[in-house]
Amino acid sequence: MKLVDFIKQNKSMLLNIYIVLNLGGYAIWQTYNNWNDGNLDYVEIGYLVQSMLVLFFILTRRKHKLIDKNVWHQAVALFAFFSGVLFVGQSPTGGETIKTVSKIIIFTANVLGAVSLLNMGKSFGILIALRKVRTGGLYSIIRHPMYATDLLLRVGFVISHFNAVTVSLIILSAASYIYRAILEERLLSQDEAYVEYKARVKYRLIPFVF
């Protein structure tokens, strides 16, 4: 088999491997640096566990039944997913109390994010696509718990890294996640099971609010 033919036939698998190598490499590198600097605490371990779950489900996720072919829509989805990287490098602010509150929020977000990933299972995806509708666990409370936990994590970070840049980034990140949720629901609503689910679970990101 020619290399070009192999790539065409296995492009999805190769893309997944590429993503895993990059995200996994970054997570391991950051964990090593924190350990080397003596900063490897429960927050960093929570982040590592959640990252490993993401990588596992990227490699094992089921093939999509339907995918949004609009390039702009997928650009929004990618920006939302990777927007956390933009916060890296910001200087910490506030005293010890602020840092403790920040760590508690971030750790809570990591735990809830891990639970959301386990609830989603092999239906996890980075792009806007339909695989299998999941309705259990945190998905029985809100329709997009993974997006909610990602935003909660960013809130925790901004609390201890408060400046014009991080505030602007969290606004952009929140807007992109909300827009992604709307776009995703349009696609998923082509599945009758999702229409029934959406009628049953009223809120997107915050219970009893939105």
Side-chain angles (χ1 to χ4, degrees), residues 156-205:
F157 183 86
V158 171
I159 286 174
S160 60
H161 297 74
F162 190 81
N163 59 55
V165 174
T166 57
V167 171
S168 299
L169 285 175
I170 198 170
I171 291 172
L172 283 173
S173 188
S176 64
Y177 266 120
I178 291 170
Y179 189 31
R180 171 179 177 143
I182 293 170
L183 294 172
E184 192 168 67
E185 289 181 3
R186 289 178 186 172
L187 182 77
L188 297 181
S189 291
Q190 296 183 47
D191 188 310
E192 186 177 342
Y194 190 80
V195 175
E196 294 174 358
Y197 164 71
K198 191 166 65 170
R200 186 169 67 255
V201 179
K202 302 295 184 181
Y203 302 99
R204 285 193 176 105
L205 297 169

Side-chain angles (χ1 to χ4, degrees), residues 55-72:
L55 301 182
F56 173 75
F57 287 123
I58 286 175
L59 286 176
T60 62
R61 59 186 170 176
R62 57 173 48 88
K63 185 175 175 59
H64 60 260
K65 301 176 184 176
L66 187 65
I67 189 167
D68 192 328
K69 296 182 179 180
N70 186 298
V71 175
W72 164 247

Side-chain angles (χ1 to χ4, degrees), residues 26-196:
Y26 175 77
I28 292 171
W29 172 75
Q30 186 176 35
T31 301
Y32 172 77
N33 284 338
N34 284 316
W35 173 77
N36 198 42
D37 295 337
N39 296 323
L40 187 61
D41 57 11
Y42 66 97
V43 175
E44 296 302 329
I45 293 173
Y47 162 76
L48 180 63
V49 170
Q50 185 181 11
S51 297
M52 293 303 104
L53 282 173
V54 169
L55 301 182
F56 173 75
F57 287 123
I58 286 175
L59 286 176
T60 62
R61 59 186 170 176
R62 57 173 48 88
K63 185 175 175 59
H64 60 260
K65 301 176 184 176
L66 187 65
I67 189 167
D68 192 328
K69 296 182 179 180
N70 186 298
V71 175
W72 164 247
H73 293 177
Q74 298 297 13
V76 171
L78 287 171
F79 178 81
F81 183 81
F82 289 105
S83 60
V85 177
L86 300 175
F87 290 83
V88 174
Q90 295 298 315
S91 300
T93 58
E96 290 304 314
T97 301
I98 292 295
K99 290 177 182 177
T100 300
V101 171
S102 172
K103 285 187 174 184
I104 292 172
I105 293 174
I106 291 173
F107 180 70
T108 301
N110 282 329
V111 171
L112 293 175
V115 173
S116 298
L117 283 164
L118 292 171
N119 293 159
M120 177 60 74
K122 294 183 180 181
S123 292
F124 172 79
I126 297 174
L127 297 178
I128 299 172
L130 170 63
R131 287 179 172 84
K132 181 180 180 180
V133 177
R134 294 291 189 177
T135 62
L138 294 178
Y139 285 86
S140 65
I141 302 172
I142 54 176
R143 300 199 294 265
H144 302 279
M146 277 198 293
Y147 305 165
T149 57
D150 276 359
L151 290 174
L152 181 62
L153 187 150
R154 287 156 174 70
V155 169
F157 183 86
V158 171
I159 286 174
S160 60
H161 297 74
F162 190 81
N163 59 55
V165 174
T166 57
V167 171
S168 299
L169 285 175
I170 198 170
I171 291 172
L172 283 173
S173 188
S176 64
Y177 266 120
I178 291 170
Y179 189 31
R180 171 179 177 143
I182 293 170
L183 294 172
E184 192 168 67
E185 289 181 3
R186 289 178 186 172
L187 182 77
L188 297 181
S189 291
Q190 296 183 47
D191 188 310
E192 186 177 342
Y194 190 80
V195 175
E196 294 174 358

